[in-house]
Amino acid sequence: MAMLLLQMDADSTSWSGGGVSRESRRRMAQSDVAPSPTFEGLPAATRKGDFYQLSLNAWGGEWRKSDKAGKGTIYYRYYPYFCEQLRRLSNLQMLEIGLDVGGSLRLWRSYFPNARIVGTDVKDKSRFAKDGTRIFQAEQTDTAALQRMLDALPRPEPQHAQPFHLIIDDASHYPPDTIASFEYLFVGGLLPGGIYVLEDLSTSYDQIWASKWGLYGHGRAEWEEVGRTRKLS
């Protein structure tokens, strides 16, 4: 598991961001409240357990449990750290790319109860268009389809052309796909100051996914050697 968070600079079309350092992970794991100055003045909703519990509760009926918490997944430590401040927005609009069985959409509806939530998937997931959630069918590399989606959405910040405060890519995890939608949506879809999250970047290097996609020439022998090296260090 790995994630990369990128933030649009408020006064430009450049970005800043990066992975979560080991020290940051340690502090977040030990703290009850996310140690970020942007959280000052927020209520106890920032406390550890809110996002985690909502993640575990995101199931029922056609919905299934989200992948943001559970065995082998620790996204619940990071999303509140970076995204808690978005809960203060009365006009929040977000996009998730890649919907799978719908658990994450249910999570976002619980975490951002007043938000406009938009989902897109290569398959028809219109059955998840509930509780005000809008669903579009599109290949994440199909910029024409992505633009039709953008054109169909309201603009929460009338002075800006982009519709989203938050974009999450949890789709194919195939780097060319990820890059294509990022290049189009980061500038064309993300509001200044918005957050763009790329989930599961570790699949680009994991031996199972690498063999699936044929990425970087990594094979089992190379990864076993990496493991031995880490143990020795």
Side-chain angles (χ1 to χ4, degrees):
M1 185 218 76
M3 69 186 293
L4 178 68
L5 179 140
L6 304 166
Q7 184 168 31
M8 174 72 78
D9 287 347
D11 57 354
S12 72
T13 56
S14 61
W15 59 267
S16 59
V20 183
S21 70
R22 179 178 298 178
E23 175 60 20
S24 294
R25 289 197 298 269
R26 185 191 65 78
R27 289 191 296 122
M28 283 187 278
Q30 294 178 352
S31 176
D32 282 339
V33 180
S36 169
T38 62
F39 294 171
E40 290 181 359
L42 281 176
T46 61
R47 293 190 176 278
K48 185 171 59 178
D50 179 25
F51 186 91
Y52 177 76
Q53 192 59 50
L54 291 175
S55 300
L56 294 181
N57 290 345
W59 65 279
E62 289 185 283
W63 307 92
R64 298 295 186 270
K65 190 177 294 184
S66 80
D67 62 351
K68 305 301 184 279
K71 184 178 180 180
T73 302
I74 54 174
Y75 285 134
Y76 66 88
R77 292 183 182 175
Y78 304 131
Y79 270 109
Y81 184 79
F82 292 110
C83 298
E84 184 70 29
Q85 69 270 23
L86 296 178
R87 301 174 88 176
R88 294 182 293 190
L89 297 179
S90 61
N91 59 347
L92 175 65
Q93 186 161 252
M94 65 162 289
L95 169 68
E96 182 162 45
I97 309 168
L99 306 180
D100 195 30
V101 292
S104 291
L105 288 176
R106 187 177 177 92
L107 162 64
W108 300 129
R109 175 54 63 204
S110 299
Y111 190 61
F112 299 122
N114 300 315
R116 294 192 188 100
I117 297 174
V118 180
T120 183
D121 197 280
V122 65
K123 298 180 180 179
D124 179 10
K125 298 296 177 71
S126 56
R127 67 186 185 278
F128 299 139
K130 303 175 181 179
D131 303 322
T133 299
R134 298 189 64 177
I135 302 298
F136 295 84
Q137 185 174 0
E139 284 269 7
Q140 71 178 119
T141 59
D142 185 345
T143 56
L146 294 178
Q147 186 58 52
R148 287 193 294 272
M149 175 189 67
L150 296 177
D151 291 341
L153 296 171
R155 298 304 190 257
E157 309 285 350
Q159 69 273 31
H160 297 293
Q162 302 90 344
F164 297 118
H165 298 93
L166 173 65
I167 298 176
I168 299 165
D169 183 346
D170 189 18
S172 73
H173 310 313
Y174 180 46
D177 292 355
T178 301
I179 292 169
S181 51
F182 170 77
E183 289 182 336
Y184 197 77
L185 291 174
F186 187 78
V187 174
L190 191 65
L191 281 160
I195 296 171
Y196 199 113
V197 178
L198 304 174
E199 286 194 6
D200 298 322
L201 292 183
S202 58
T203 58
S204 297
Y205 303 93
D206 179 89
Q207 62 184 16
I208 297 175
W209 284 79
S211 62
K212 179 179 179 181
W213 298 125
L215 299 176
Y216 311 120
H218 294 317
R220 183 175 299 276
E222 288 84 353
W223 280 101
E224 288 177 349
E225 179 59 31
V226 170
R228 284 194 294 270
T229 301
R230 287 176 176 170
K231 288 180 181 179
L232 289 173
S233 62

Coordinates of all heavy atoms in Angstrom, one line a residue, residues 21 33 38 47 63 70-71 74 80 82-83 103 109 118 134 154 183 195 197-198 203 228:
S21 N 6.0 10.6 5.2 CA 7.3 10.1 5.7 C 7.1 9.1 6.9 O 6.0 9.1 7.5 CB 8.1 11.3 6.2 OG 7.6 11.9 7.4
V33 N -5.2 13.4 17.9 CA -5.6 14.5 17.0 C -4.5 14.7 16.0 O -3.4 14.8 16.3 CB -5.9 15.8 17.8 CG1 -6.3 16.9 16.9 CG2 -6.9 15.6 18.9
T38 N -3.6 23.3 10.2 CA -4.8 23.6 9.5 C -6.0 23.0 10.3 O -7.2 23.3 9.9 CB -4.8 22.9 8.1 OG1 -4.7 21.5 8.2 CG2 -3.7 23.5 7.3
R47 N -10.7 13.5 15.8 CA -10.1 12.5 16.6 C -10.0 11.2 15.9 O -10.8 10.8 15.1 CB -10.8 12.3 18.0 CG -10.7 13.5 18.8 CD -11.2 13.3 20.2 NE -10.9 14.4 21.1 CZ -9.8 14.7 21.7 NH1 -8.8 13.9 21.5 NH2 -9.7 15.8 22.4
W63 N -23.9 -2.3 -1.3 CA -22.6 -1.8 -0.9 C -21.7 -2.8 -0.3 O -22.2 -3.8 0.3 CB -22.8 -0.6 0.0 CG -23.7 0.4 -0.5 CD1 -25.1 0.5 -0.2 CD2 -23.5 1.6 -1.3 NE1 -25.6 1.6 -0.8 CE2 -24.7 2.3 -1.5 CE3 -22.3 2.1 -1.9 CZ2 -24.8 3.4 -2.2 CZ3 -22.4 3.2 -2.6 CH2 -23.6 3.9 -2.8
G70 N -9.0 -1.7 7.5 CA -9.1 -3.2 7.5 C -7.7 -3.8 7.5 O -6.7 -3.2 7.5
K71 N -7.7 -5.1 7.3 CA -6.5 -5.9 7.3 C -5.6 -5.4 6.2 O -5.9 -5.4 5.0 CB -6.8 -7.4 7.2 CG -5.5 -8.2 7.2 CD -5.9 -9.7 7.1 CE -4.6 -10.6 7.2 NZ -5.0 -12.0 7.1
I74 N -4.1 1.0 5.9 CA -4.0 2.0 6.9 C -4.3 3.4 6.3 O -3.8 4.4 6.9 CB -2.6 2.0 7.6 CG1 -1.5 2.1 6.6 CG2 -2.4 0.8 8.5 CD1 -0.1 2.2 7.2
P80 N -7.8 11.4 7.2 CA -8.2 12.5 8.1 C -7.1 13.6 8.2 O -7.4 14.8 8.4 CB -8.4 11.8 9.4 CG -8.7 10.4 9.0 CD -7.9 10.1 7.8
F82 N -5.0 14.7 6.0 CA -4.9 15.6 4.9 C -6.3 16.2 4.6 O -6.3 17.3 4.0 CB -4.4 14.9 3.7 CG -2.9 14.6 3.8 CD1 -2.5 13.3 3.9 CD2 -2.0 15.6 3.8 CE1 -1.2 12.9 4.1 CE2 -0.6 15.2 4.0 CZ -0.2 13.9 4.1
C83 N -7.4 15.5 4.8 CA -8.7 15.9 4.3 C -9.7 16.4 5.3 O -10.8 16.8 4.9 CB -9.3 14.8 3.5 SG -8.3 14.3 2.0
G103 N -18.2 0.6 -1.8 CA -18.0 0.9 -0.4 C -17.4 2.2 -0.1 O -17.8 2.9 0.8
R109 N -19.9 9.5 1.6 CA -21.2 10.2 2.0 C -21.3 10.3 3.5 O -21.9 11.3 4.0 CB -22.3 9.3 1.4 CG -23.7 9.8 1.8 CD -24.0 11.2 1.5 NE -23.9 11.5 0.0 CZ -23.6 12.7 -0.5 NH1 -23.3 13.7 0.3 NH2 -23.6 12.9 -1.8
V118 N -19.2 12.7 -6.6 CA -19.2 12.2 -8.0 C -18.3 11.0 -8.1 O -17.2 11.0 -7.6 CB -18.7 13.3 -9.0 CG1 -18.8 12.8 -10.4 CG2 -19.5 14.6 -8.8
R134 N -23.6 11.4 -7.9 CA -23.7 11.3 -9.3 C -22.7 10.3 -9.9 O -21.5 10.4 -9.5 CB -23.5 12.7 -10.0 CG -24.6 13.7 -9.6 CD -24.5 15.0 -10.4 NE -24.8 14.7 -11.8 CZ -24.9 15.7 -12.7 NH1 -24.6 17.0 -12.3 NH2 -25.1 15.4 -14.0
P154 N -21.8 21.3 -11.7 CA -21.8 22.7 -11.2 C -20.5 23.1 -10.8 O -19.6 22.3 -10.5 CB -22.8 22.7 -10.1 CG -22.8 21.3 -9.6 CD -22.6 20.4 -10.8
E183 N -2.9 14.0 -15.7 CA -2.6 15.1 -16.5 C -3.8 15.9 -17.0 O -3.7 17.2 -17.1 CB -1.8 14.6 -17.7 CG -0.4 14.1 -17.4 CD 0.4 13.7 -18.6 OE1 -0.2 13.3 -19.6 OE2 1.7 13.7 -18.5
I195 N -7.0 19.0 -3.5 CA -6.2 17.8 -3.2 C -6.4 16.7 -4.2 O -7.6 16.4 -4.4 CB -6.4 17.3 -1.7 CG1 -6.0 18.4 -0.7 CG2 -5.7 16.0 -1.5 CD1 -6.5 18.1 0.7
V197 N -5.4 12.7 -4.8 CA -4.8 11.6 -4.2 C -4.7 10.4 -5.2 O -5.7 10.1 -5.9 CB -5.7 11.1 -3.0 CG1 -5.1 9.8 -2.3 CG2 -5.9 12.2 -1.9
L198 N -3.5 9.8 -5.2 CA -3.3 8.7 -6.0 C -3.1 7.5 -5.1 O -2.1 7.5 -4.3 CB -2.0 8.8 -6.9 CG -2.0 10.0 -7.8 CD1 -0.7 10.2 -8.5 CD2 -3.1 9.9 -8.9
T203 N 1.5 -0.8 -6.2 CA 1.2 -1.8 -7.2 C 2.1 -1.7 -8.4 O 2.3 -2.6 -9.2 CB -0.2 -1.8 -7.7 OG1 -0.5 -0.5 -8.2 CG2 -1.2 -2.0 -6.5
R228 N 15.8 -9.5 1.3 CA 17.0 -9.9 2.1 C 17.9 -8.7 2.4 O 18.4 -8.5 3.6 CB 17.8 -10.9 1.2 CG 17.3 -12.3 1.2 CD 18.3 -13.2 0.7 NE 18.6 -13.0 -0.7 CZ 18.0 -13.5 -1.8 NH1 17.0 -14.3 -1.5 NH2 18.3 -13.2 -3.0

